[in-house]
């Protein structure tokens, strides 16, 4: 039955032009073209196959990753790919590798924190991959709290060197990807000590392994930190442990853009504003938000397609059973995730703009929008990654039992995704940063200084405290303004309530700790408002294509009303809406689900994912699931022999009542 | 530092007697004694070590499971263990194996559905493990909907045999544990066809493999269905695929307790009531609820202990950082899960009683409580397994980055647990069954017949519809009655609202489908009420031990108020409580968290888990985490060599700019 499109009936039901939607999803015709070309390049090349990944042992898996990474680099050079194309190609190879950290963290660290001279020295080597770098920051005993790092870099004026040292077990570098087995160099973060004084954590370029025989240099102990969650997944990465025993590096390997140590050992701040460093953080977190929409959309694509293939219960006597996507319970779980994927895509796109705007301002010496941009990216990183991690697992459950098979692709997608909730700022810690920013914003409201950007609505706080929704019928909830105002009022009131409760504490820090769970709730409300408002803004743009805008409007309202339903306690307890209006929202939501239903498959087709990238038998484009699941099963190593190795030694004596003499 | 108890300061803070709490958790001094003895027996025997499980390839992993299963059986025989002890021992071995299905499904199927004669024929063989059975029900295309199964068992009166056949690909049996590689026999479910008529799905005992050479019998195709989610985890189980090509079995291998086929091919119902079969379902689901409390408590134990070891931010200058368990955000996420573990333990205990009560009644011909018991176990299975699956993952996140390492034990605990949400009834499908029962209960309210058991509160529906909470101050929420009434009123109103909305549909089934998402919400509210009320009932018993009852009272209120907070939309929209009362509940909750804090480690010690059973470096009893994490890392196969296999072929040419000639 190969070649038949089992989902064709679904595709023919769509009420919009999928090709136009593909452009909207990609962001631009150019972005679409590059992504499309690169994904096909990878999918069509047998060297990038990922079929058996979940069944490989760790060593074999890692070897395979090295091969793919080298091959990808070879192709990038052969095809003279641009930086954009190269990075796309790597992402479609879809296998975490040491090269990710080299390109994503090591090179940006040098660019962001290195002087012109240092950049000239190191970047060409790194960009030709003559050295491979990692980013060695976190330690065995220290994660989120960078200021708590214990590794030391002590300046020795006698030799003009820094001595890098791990004074304790807990100071061992722990987690850096690429470190365990591959990296030749590291951007190493350590407490700078000179002249007997501790100047806090700074970055240093340290060579870790010999470029001749790849052995760790003297005084350096390195290894892999062990197997991680899931089959395949992040086990293709050599997250590492690293200890220094008084390792010496030349003074000029301290990353000196922002501060320097002189030949005499004097600590000097440069004129480059420290805030530029925060720009990098905004950049990294913005890419995480974009990646969230991709990861979530992959899971949603698999679950949506399979929900059309899978049938259960309810068929007319003797006829086919009902497609599970026709069940309201399935829709109520899946469609909000579909809407979230689109919502995160658009807020990610906006964050890209925000990053560029902030950088332009920083370079012009305008730091005014930085705190808001920083809080906003921190919050959106937290929000989108949490929803995505849970959403992938929800999609797996939505596929029933078969979602539990590695051939569904969902277990690996989940396992490889979840660390995103922890790295680059733990999601709860980040929300507390947002809350701190919100409390500051409220505290300044009296001062006449208007809040900017995503906190601008706080400027209307008095109005918002009075707000009561005017929704009278279910269709009113289709109006973006009704939705937006309800979200603004809820967010403002949650924050104001926190501020009021904080004021009751004589020690504000103690209050912040005591009320932190509530503060997180206020921050979440604020971040959800941002996503809703950016989706609405997107819809105010000109969006070409038959029926495309209509679908996006539905998705936008589904996103918002589902949140309203899920966080109803917030909306009701703050009095923004009443119970009747809440029930109208549910009613409207059900109606929107029915409108989405015929478009569901086309809406996931618009992501334009190849079967290679999805890596899921359940999510196959052609819907030919069961024969392929069956085929896939026989490839498991356990099916290499009919009678399994070990049966004769262990199980046969059991059956034959001869266990007494068996060697177990 | 081995031998030092790093958590001793935590343990000394406890305000209750841990040994007494251990008895409460276990259920009785006897239950404690058996569990304690069996868990130590397993933990102290090197043959049961599980250290390297997540790093093994599938074949090696499976071989190891066969060895352990055979060894466990050998020890059971040698030590002449009772059935209770044997089952405990198997559970502490803590590795899914074909024996689980043999003891847990195959033997019970024969006991429940076989005639006296069949039991005499098959049980002795099975109980001596001279045959090993599996339970072959689900098919590639058919999961929850048993009536949709396609496998046929056609009676051939010429030979007095049934012909078992798989007419389509989707009719392949798929998922049965133990089937893939080991089972010699199966309880096979197939559509019974005799005299040209289809009598629906019935059970048959079918021999699958030769007892001589273990090869599949003629006409039978069997294999493993492939790698599943996670490292180790359920990959120790040989979930299988099975196809029949006109396989013949004697007529007397149909399980004939409830219905029979005569020599002439006539289908006859026996006098044994069909309802007895539902008793088995109540039994199986009750064990799943008990197991939920165990799985959740293991995760909570790991997260709680490590949250005391782990420190982050906030320390006084130069001093130690703050233990993360001191953060309110950590408490607000972890303590409700701790409370849930206890809550599920007690509701599981009560379900055991319910099962016995139902069976006693059934045997006396009293079927009156069966529908309620059936709905109640279905709902509690759904509720507790969903919360547990999410809870394990939450505990993993609460351990920060290190929770992502397999050595934390949490990835495997999660991956091995999640299928529980799907098997024995998909959790959403089960909640819809509960909702159906609730709607029936409401429909009958006018009839004068009082609702029984866990739906008894519906008898007071008129009062509950009027209910408004009298809570005036935070401490009022400590009174069980205030809590119970609010939960009753919320559950009743959610159900009544659904019933009202259903009444608007001319076709009730259509209404049920359209409103299914709301109906699930009502069912969840009902099930949460059951858990809360059974916890409160438990506290009305005499509970000995210094300070024990006090801790349980705190946990009970934490369980309830956290739900109230999480489902606040329900409570507010139904008008059971107001916003002020909700805020008082939050305030009370915070205060209870502070009261739990010093008792947290002792409350997880009360689970009495050995380090072997926990299988977590982070959850070690002695809290000696970091040195052991470090030690564990070096055991990864990737650390077998300093320069990884593949480096010379793939990475070296990259570094040396010689990729052009590399073989990739």
């Amino acid at each position: 039955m190969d070649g038949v499109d089992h989902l064709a009936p679904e595709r023919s039901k769509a009420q919009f032009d999928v090709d136009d939607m593909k452009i909207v999803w990609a962001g631009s015709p150019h972005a679409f073209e590059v992504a499309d070309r690169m994904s096909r390049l990878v999918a069509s090349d047998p060297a990038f196959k990922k079929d058996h990944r979940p069944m490989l042992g760790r060593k074999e898996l890692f070897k395979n990753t090295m091969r793919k990474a080298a091959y990808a680099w070879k192709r990038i050079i052969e095809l003279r790919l641009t930086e954009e194309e190269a990075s796309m190609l790597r992402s479609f190879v879809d296998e975490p590798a040491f090269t990710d950290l080299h390109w994503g963290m090591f090179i940006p660290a040098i660019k962001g924190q290195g002087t012109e001279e240092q950049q000239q020295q190191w970047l060409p080597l790194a960009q030709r991959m003559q050295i491979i770098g990692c980013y060695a920051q976190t330690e065995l005993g220290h994660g989120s709290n960078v200021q708590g790092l214990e590794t030391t870099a002590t300046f020795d004026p006698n030799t003009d060197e820094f001595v890098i040292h791990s004074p304790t077990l807990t100071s061992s570098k722990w987690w850096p990807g690429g470190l365990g087995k591959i990296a030749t160099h590291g951007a190493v973060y350590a407490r700078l000590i000179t002249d007997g004084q501790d100047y806090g954590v700074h970055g240093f370029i340290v060579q870790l392994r010999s470029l001749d025989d790849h052995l760790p240099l003297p005084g350096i102990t390195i290894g892999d930190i062990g197997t991680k969650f899931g089959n395949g997944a992040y086990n293709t990465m050599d997250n590492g442990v690293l200890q220094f025993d008084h390792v010496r590096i030349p003074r000029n390997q301290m990353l000196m853009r922002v501060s320097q140590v002189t030949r005499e050992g004097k600590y000097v701040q440069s004129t480059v504003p420290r805030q530029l460093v925060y720009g990098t953080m905004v950049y990294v977190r913005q890419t995480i938000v974009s990646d969230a929409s991709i990861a979530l959309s992959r899971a949603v694509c698999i679950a949506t397609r399979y929900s059309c293939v899978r049938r259960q219960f309810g068929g007319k006597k003797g006829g086919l059973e009902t497609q599970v996507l026709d069940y309201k319970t399935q829709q109520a779980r899946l469609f909000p995730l579909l809407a979230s994927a689109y919502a995160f895509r658009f807020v990610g796109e906006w964050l890209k703009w925000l990053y560029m705007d902030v950088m332009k301002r920083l370079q012009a010496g305008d730091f005014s929008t930085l705190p808001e941009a920083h809080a906003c990216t921190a919050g959106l990183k937290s929000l989108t990654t949490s929803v995505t991690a849970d959403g992938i697992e929800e999609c797996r459950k939505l596929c029933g039992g078969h979602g539990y098979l590695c051939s569904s692709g969902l277990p690996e997608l989940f396992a490889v995704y979840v660390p995103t909730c922890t790295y680059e700022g733990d999601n709860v810690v980040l929300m507390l940063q947002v809350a701190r920013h919100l409390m500051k914003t409220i505290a300044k409201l009296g001062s006449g200084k208007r809040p900017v950007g995503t906190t601008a609505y706080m400027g209307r706080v008095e109005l918002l405290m009075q707000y009561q929704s005017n929704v009278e019928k279910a269709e009113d909830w289709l109006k973006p303004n009704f939705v937006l105002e309800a979200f603004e009022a809820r967010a403002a009131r949650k924050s104001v309530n926190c501020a009021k409760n904080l004021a009751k504490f004589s020690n504000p820090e103690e209050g912040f700790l005591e009320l932190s769970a509530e503060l997180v709730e206020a921050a979440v409300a604020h971040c959800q408002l941002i996503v809703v408002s950016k989706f609405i803004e997107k819809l105010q743009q000109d969006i070409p294509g038959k029926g495309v805008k209509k679908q996006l409007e539905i998705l936008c309202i589904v996103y918002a009303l589902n949140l309203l339903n899920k966080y109803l306690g917030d909306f009701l307890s703050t009095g923004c809406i009443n119970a009747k209006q809440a029930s109208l929202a549910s009613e409207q939501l059900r109606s929107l689900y029915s409108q989405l239903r015929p478009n569901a498959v086309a809406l996931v087709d618009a992501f334009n994912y190849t079967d290679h990238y999805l890596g899921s038998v359940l999510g196959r484009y052609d819907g030919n699931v069961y024969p392929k699941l069956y085929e896939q099963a026989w490839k498991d190593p356990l099916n290499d022999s009919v009678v399994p190795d070990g049966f004769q030694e262990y199980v046969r004596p059991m059956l034959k009542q001869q266990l007494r003499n068996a060697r177990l």
Side-chain angles (χ1 to χ4, degrees), chain A residues 286-315:
Chain A
Q286 162 256 312
T287 63
I288 293 179
V289 173
S290 283
D291 292 348
S293 75
I294 292 176
L296 183 56
S297 60
R298 289 169 74 175
V300 166
C301 180
I302 295 167
T304 301
R305 287 182 183 160
Y306 183 52
S307 294
C308 291
V309 171
R310 186 174 162 221
R311 293 172 178 271
Q312 203 156 61
F313 293 109

Side-chain angles (χ1 to χ4, degrees), chain A residues 152-295:
Chain A
T152 52
T154 310
F155 183 64
D156 178 355
N158 296 326
T159 60
D160 198 20
E161 290 171 319
F162 285 105
V163 183
I164 314 283
H165 187 60
S166 311
T168 59
L169 177 76
T170 47
S171 74
S172 309
K173 293 293 172 190
W174 189 269
W175 276 118
L179 167 64
K181 291 287 151 186
I182 300 294
T184 61
H185 289 67
V188 174
Y189 291 80
R191 316 194 72 79
L192 169 61
I193 294 166
T194 181
D195 224 0
Q197 202 177 328
D198 181 337
Y199 288 93
V201 174
H202 289 71
F204 302 83
I205 299 180
V206 185
Q207 183 172 349
L208 304 172
R209 290 180 168 96
S210 155
L211 289 171
D212 292 327
D213 58 13
H214 202 62
L215 294 179
L217 295 184
I220 288 179
T221 307
I222 324 189
D224 183 273
I225 60 168
T227 305
K228 290 147 291 190
F229 196 173
N231 324 67
Y234 237 91
N235 290 306
T236 58
M237 183 68 86
D238 54 331
N239 298 88
V241 48
L242 165 64
Q243 288 176 324
F244 297 101
D245 181 7
H246 300 93
V247 171
R248 289 177 168 265
I249 58 168
R251 180 170 54 93
N252 71 3
Q253 284 178 216
M254 169 182 172
L255 289 165
M256 298 225 204
R257 187 171 181 203
V258 173
S259 43
Q260 293 126 35
V261 168
T262 65
R263 177 63 190 89
E264 295 72 35
K266 228 181 123 219
Y267 183 80
V268 191
Q269 295 277 2
S270 86
T271 54
V272 176
R274 198 163 259 285
Q275 284 90 339
L276 276 179
V277 177
Y278 290 98
T280 315
M281 229 188 254
V282 172
Y283 174 77
V284 172
R285 288 181 185 160
Q286 162 256 312
T287 63
I288 293 179
V289 173
S290 283
D291 292 348
S293 75
I294 292 176

Side-chain angles (χ1 to χ4, degrees), chain A residues 342-412:
Chain A
Y342 275 90
F344 296 170
R345 187 76 189 174
F346 298 140
V347 83
E349 214 171 63
W350 170 77
L351 274 181
K352 239 176 251 172
W353 168 86
L354 181 76
Y355 166 68
M356 293 197 285
D357 181 67
V358 166
M359 289 313 282
K360 230 185 302 171
R361 287 171 190 266
L362 286 183
Q363 271 141 17
D366 169 7
F367 305 132
S368 66
T369 64
L370 188 62
E372 188 268 323
H374 189 251
C376 161
T377 41
L380 290 173
K381 182 270 177 185
S382 172
L383 181 77
T384 58
T385 58
S386 288
V387 170
T388 296
D390 294 349
I392 295 170
E393 171 61 7
E394 183 75 355
C395 286
R396 194 190 62 71
K397 290 205 185 98
L398 285 166
C399 291
H402 300 343
Y404 190 61
L405 286 170
C406 285
S407 53
S408 78
L410 292 162
E412 190 172 18

